[in-house]
Amino acid sequence: MKLNVKRKGTIISPDNKRVIARYFFNGEKRAEILIEKILALPVSEIQSLLTQNLREFSKRHRSITSIYKKHYNNV
């Protein structure tokens, strides 16, 4: 079956004010690669990124640290 697609100039972008901290697991291998990349960063950079992330998302999610801990335990 052939499907004709006509591309439009419209771009749909996410609304950063409507972020949902929902658990998303995209496979064991991808998780391993992501964890390896994070562990390869200097500790100071990890701390800085985590602080920035918590500062940004704590305004939108009441208990972002407990959400992250649940996600960590899932992985």
Side-chain angles (χ1 to χ4, degrees):
M1 179 178 161
K2 188 175 179 180
L3 179 65
N4 292 324
V5 176
K6 189 179 240 185
R7 299 229 179 242
K8 301 285 185 178
T10 306
I11 297 175
I12 300 173
S13 300
D15 181 354
N16 290 336
K17 294 178 183 170
R18 296 182 172 263
V19 175
I20 300 173
R22 181 173 36 182
Y23 179 72
F24 176 73
F25 187 72
N26 201 14
E28 193 77 31
K29 188 63 179 169
R30 292 193 65 166
E32 287 177 16
I33 292 169
L34 179 60
I35 291 168
E36 287 173 5
K37 286 180 179 181
I38 293 169
L39 292 176
L41 293 171
V43 174
S44 60
E45 188 173 350
I46 293 171
Q47 290 172 334
S48 174
L49 290 169
L50 180 59
T51 301
Q52 177 184 353
N53 186 278
L54 291 173
R55 194 175 294 136
E56 181 179 341
F57 286 98
S58 65
K59 296 172 186 169
R60 298 180 218 160
H61 303 284
R62 180 178 294 174
S63 57
I64 192 67
T65 53
S66 63
I67 291 170
Y68 286 163
K69 285 177 186 177
K70 287 178 187 175
H71 293 181
Y72 171 82
N73 288 330
N74 286 337
V75 174

